[in-house]
Amino acid sequence: NSRTELIELNSLLNSRIEKDKEWRFVSSKLTGQNDGIVKVGEKESLSLRCDQCSNTGTKNIKIEIYSALKSRYRYLWAQTDLAAKTTALYPVRSLPVNNTALAPSDFEKKVIYHTRPEQFFTQPNQLVFYKVNKPKSKGEPIKFQDLTPVNLVKMGQPTTVILRNGAIRLETTAISSQSGKLGQQIRLKNTKSKRTIIGKVINFNKVEVEL
């Protein structure tokens, strides 16, 4: 009896198909099968074809298996996800919806593979600028769509203004005429000159003005 080699589908695809080194085939399955195992006989050879493996996403891959004894081909189809390596932030506890800004200590980093890595929020040091807009369960990664910016500057409050002109950096204080979130342009009134200035919110009670 000839021997049959059993090859795990994910391993086969990752070892035989050229792709970006930070990418990986995951969740692979064979059409019409449940075990994800490719069976290759002792006198059989196989080749793989993926016409759209230059980008991530769900792929259909053709597997050609040629039998030298029978001088004929048999074909299998695999459906798989070509995913990119990324870092995701996972809550260490359930997060309710409230007006409290998030804290890095509420999250842990995990390396994952996903077909759409761009949707995950990956900067733990910037979590303090946001709050969740829907309840998040422990172990559920945070996406950009889950977050709403918090007001870093509140109307009528004293605010530090950083004035920049090339290498020159000066600080003064102004009263904000409106509330603002990270990156927003807001109006403020200089407490000394009483002039109105416009600056970009860069942190809690801190605005930057380019001169």
Side-chain angles (χ1 to χ4, degrees), residues 45-62:
S45 60
L46 62 79
S47 60
L48 307 175
R49 180 174 175 178
C50 182
D51 295 327
Q52 298 178 328
C53 285
S54 58
N55 53 15
T56 59
T58 300
K59 310 296 177 184
N60 290 306
I61 297 178
K62 187 177 184 180

Side-chain angles (χ1 to χ4, degrees), residues 25-42:
F25 290 102
V26 297
S27 304
S28 307
K29 60 183 179 180
L30 290 167
T31 301
Q33 294 183 212
N34 296 320
D35 55 8
I37 299 296
V38 178
K39 299 175 182 179
V40 182
E42 188 175 4

Side-chain angles (χ1 to χ4, degrees), residues 151-187:
N151 283 325
L152 304 184
V153 175
K154 294 184 179 180
M155 183 175 63
Q157 296 295 314
T159 303
T160 299
V161 178
I162 300 172
L163 306 170
R164 290 190 185 275
N165 187 356
I168 300 175
R169 180 183 185 277
L170 301 172
E171 283 193 16
T172 187
T173 301
I175 302 298
S176 56
S177 302
Q178 58 190 118
S179 299
K181 300 173 174 62
L182 182 67
Q184 285 187 330
Q185 300 279 344
I186 64 170
R187 289 181 170 83

